[in-house]
């Protein structure tokens, strides 16, 4: 044995021959700032960057596919199909886009990106939590402020200031909300009793959007554009607190979940094609996915959240799990981006909804 020769076991292990890469294999290549500062080109480069940047690039492509199909004229035959939303007379499109988001995104400045999408009538159905409803209206009445994750909860409680992550919401904001909403709840009860109106969460949200009459509000624009907003846990927040207090002042208001689940599922069942864009997890993710189960799955899907699947939660479940339930079609190419939506969603809007709205406005 020659002591100067490399052991064959080592060379065989390290110098394994590679098979040729497929002819359509994509090469990893990031953005070159020598080409100048071009944010559109930067975000387009994410598709070839790798890791979550690549997933974000795939999400851009998936949302743009939804919008492209949505812009395609509906055939005369399909126009005769059942109206998806008789309560709001919203016409059918070639791709009904479901947008879901958790309440913290409305508390944050992501609200303005969401409002833009709704203002320009670019989605067809919204699902959020109670906080995702009330925080929008509260921001029309009072401001939320930037704070710090590390502020003392004990000290803030003594000052009457509530912390939402690194945001601060003075408790007076919720007192102003009570002053605003209580007379509206009185009206809902009176109309229920005198006009036999069957209130549902979506009808209540539409009414509140009408009453706020503020162009900064997401739900003002949802009301104006006849976009139904579903919140099956409407009582799980400050709105629930107000309904609780109202039940002592003027008992009797009823809010029907059964009518709303039929209306929600109908958005998917009678759609020509569907796309899901879900920011965060929990109730909003499952409610949209479950509606799409009723049509054997969505055609397009983007999940954007920070949750992982190791605990078996629906929030962390990858799209492939949804395929196993029939919530996403087997032939679909769904995308999950592991990331925080306060950064990612405005960038997604910049590469999808915003240019689409501009092209629609100019007729291009």
């Amino acid at each position: 044995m020659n002591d100067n020769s490399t052991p064959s076991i080592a060379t065989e292990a390290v110098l394994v021959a590679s098979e040729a890469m497929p002819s359509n294999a994509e090469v990893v290549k990031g953005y070159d700032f020598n080409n100048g500062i071009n944010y559109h080109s930067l975000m387009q480069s994410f598709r070839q960057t790798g890791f979550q940047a690549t997933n974000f690039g795939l999400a851009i492509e998936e949302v743009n596919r939804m919008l492209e199909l949505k812009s395609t004229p509906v055939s005369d035959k399909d126009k005769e199909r059942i109206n998806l939303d008789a309560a709001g007379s919203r016409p059918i499109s070639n791709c009904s886009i479901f947008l879901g988001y958790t309440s913290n995104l409305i508390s944050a400045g992501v609200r303005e990106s969401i409002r833009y999408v709704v203002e320009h009538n670019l989605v067809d159905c919204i699902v959020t939590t109670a906080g995702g409803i009330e925080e929008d209206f509260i921001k029309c009445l009072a401001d939320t402020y930037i704070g710090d994750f590390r502020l003392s909860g004990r000290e803030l409680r003594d000052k009457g200031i509530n912390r939402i992550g690194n945001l601060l919401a003075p408790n007076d904001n919720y007192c102003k909300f009570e002053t605003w909403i209580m007379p509206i709840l009185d009206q809902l009860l009176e109309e229920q009793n005198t006009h036999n109106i069957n209130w549902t969460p979506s009808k209540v949200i539409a009414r509140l959007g009408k009453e706020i009459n503020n162009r900064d509000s997401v739900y003002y624009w949802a009301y104006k554009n006849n976009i139904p907003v579903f919140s099956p846990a409407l009582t799980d927040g400050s709105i629930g607190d107000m309904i609780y207090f109202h039940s002592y002042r003027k008992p009797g208001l009823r809010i029907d979940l059964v009518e709303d689940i039929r209306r929600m599922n109908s958005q998917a069942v009678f759609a020509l094609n569907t796309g899901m864009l879900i920011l965060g997890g929990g109730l909003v993710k499952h409610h949209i996915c479950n509606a799409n189960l009723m049509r054997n799955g969505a055609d397009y899907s983007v999940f954007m959240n920070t949750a992982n699947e190791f605990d078996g939660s629906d929030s962390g479940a990858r799209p492939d799990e949804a395929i196993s339930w029939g919530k996403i079609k087997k032939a679909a190419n769904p995308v999950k981006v592991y990331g925080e939506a306060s950064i990612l969603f405005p960038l997604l809007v910049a590469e999808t909804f915003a240019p689409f709205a501009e092209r629609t406005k100019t007729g291009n």
Side-chain angles (χ1 to χ4, degrees):
M1 176 179 178
N2 185 348
D3 291 338
N4 294 326
S5 61
T6 305
S8 61
I9 189 171
T11 56
E12 290 170 4
V14 173
L15 303 177
V16 175
S18 300
E19 291 186 2
M21 292 296 292
S23 59
N24 61 347
E26 296 182 69
V27 175
V28 174
K29 186 176 178 63
Y31 183 71
D32 185 352
F33 283 96
N34 286 313
N35 295 327
I37 301 173
N38 184 313
Y39 293 108
H40 172 67
S41 296
L42 171 63
M43 284 190 277
Q44 289 294 303
S45 76
F46 286 175
R47 178 68 173 75
Q48 284 77 41
T49 297
F51 308 135
Q52 294 311 304
T54 290
N55 285 355
F56 181 69
L58 292 171
I60 290 172
E61 292 178 357
E62 183 80 342
V63 172
N64 279 330
R65 282 192 286 268
M66 299 181 202
L67 291 169
E68 182 180 358
L69 183 57
K70 184 177 182 61
S71 67
T72 305
V74 177
S75 69
D76 291 338
K77 180 181 177 181
D78 286 328
K79 286 179 183 177
E80 296 173 1
R81 291 173 58 134
I82 185 169
N83 191 299
L84 295 190
D85 187 27
S89 300
R90 184 170 180 80
I92 196 169
S93 76
N94 258 320
C95 186
S96 297
I97 299 178
F98 292 74
L99 174 64
Y101 47 86
T102 47
S103 66
N104 55 322
L105 300 180
I106 293 292
S107 300
V110 183
R111 174 197 184 219
E112 279 61 42
S113 296
I114 293 170
R115 190 218 64 231
Y116 175 88
V117 169
V118 177
E119 176 185 351
H120 292 276
N121 204 16
L122 300 175
V123 296
D124 300 276
C125 178
I126 296 171
V127 176
T128 189
T129 56
I133 302 300
E134 66 211 18
E135 290 291 323
D136 177 70
F137 297 126
I138 289 168
K139 281 186 163 185
C140 294
L141 306 172
D143 292 324
T144 300
Y145 299 90
I146 295 294
D148 194 292
F149 285 102
R150 297 164 295 181
L151 293 175
S152 167
R154 293 177 179 85
E155 292 179 9
L156 290 173
R157 182 60 179 167
D158 290 339
K159 296 176 180 179
I161 298 174
N162 306 296
R163 183 169 67 83
I164 309 166
N166 63 348
L167 312 179
L168 299 176
N171 208 58
D172 285 349
N173 293 13
Y174 299 90
C175 298
K176 292 175 182 177
F177 180 60
E178 179 181 15
T179 301
W180 176 74
I181 199 172
M182 280 299 181
I184 300 173
L185 296 178
D186 290 344
Q187 294 171 24
L188 300 186
L189 177 60
E190 181 181 354
E191 292 170 23
Q192 170 191 289
N193 293 336
T194 59
H195 301 296
N196 201 31
I197 293 178
N198 187 51
W199 292 107
T200 67
S202 64
K203 290 179 187 175
V204 170
I205 295 163
R207 178 61 172 270
L208 295 176
K210 176 183 179 181
E211 296 288 343
I212 198 68
N213 194 27
N214 188 316
R215 295 173 65 89
D216 292 336
S217 166
V218 173
Y219 306 111
Y220 166 81
W221 287 108
Y223 161 73
K224 294 284 284 186
N225 290 327
N226 289 325
I227 300 172
V229 181
F230 297 95
S231 187
L234 187 64
T235 56
D236 186 28
S238 184
I239 288 182
D241 299 342
M242 300 305 113
I243 292 172
Y244 168 72
F245 295 144
H246 188 266
S247 73
Y248 284 94
R249 290 176 64 252
K250 293 186 177 180
L253 180 63
R254 298 184 300 275
I255 300 178
D256 183 3
L257 292 178
V258 176
E259 182 180 325
D260 248 12
I261 190 60
R262 178 165 175 166
R263 186 183 180 199
M264 170 67 187
N265 288 352
S266 292
Q267 308 304 304
V269 169
F270 300 110
L272 299 176
N273 299 279
T274 63
M276 305 189 298
L277 174 54
I278 305 174
L279 315 176
L283 178 147
V284 301
K285 181 169 181 264
H286 187 266
H287 204 56
I288 291 175
C289 287
N290 202 69
N292 279 273
L293 166 61
M294 300 297 159
R295 67 186 307 275
N296 202 28
D299 301 276
Y300 307 95
S301 303
V302 171
F303 299 163
M304 189 176 287
N305 61 59
T306 58
N308 287 286
E309 66 176 346
F310 68 86
D311 59 359
S313 66
D314 183 72
S315 295
R318 291 181 297 111
D320 187 66
E321 183 175 308
I323 292 174
S324 79
W325 287 88
K327 297 171 182 176
I328 297 174
K329 290 192 183 300
K330 289 189 292 183
N333 295 294
V335 182
K336 175 169 179 176
V337 187
Y338 290 85
E340 207 267 292
S342 70
I343 299 171
L344 295 177
F345 186 64
L347 298 179
L348 183 72
V349 171
E351 288 297 299
T352 56
F353 292 106
F356 179 83
E358 289 299 312
R359 289 195 302 272
T360 303
K361 194 183 304 181
T362 58
N364 294 326

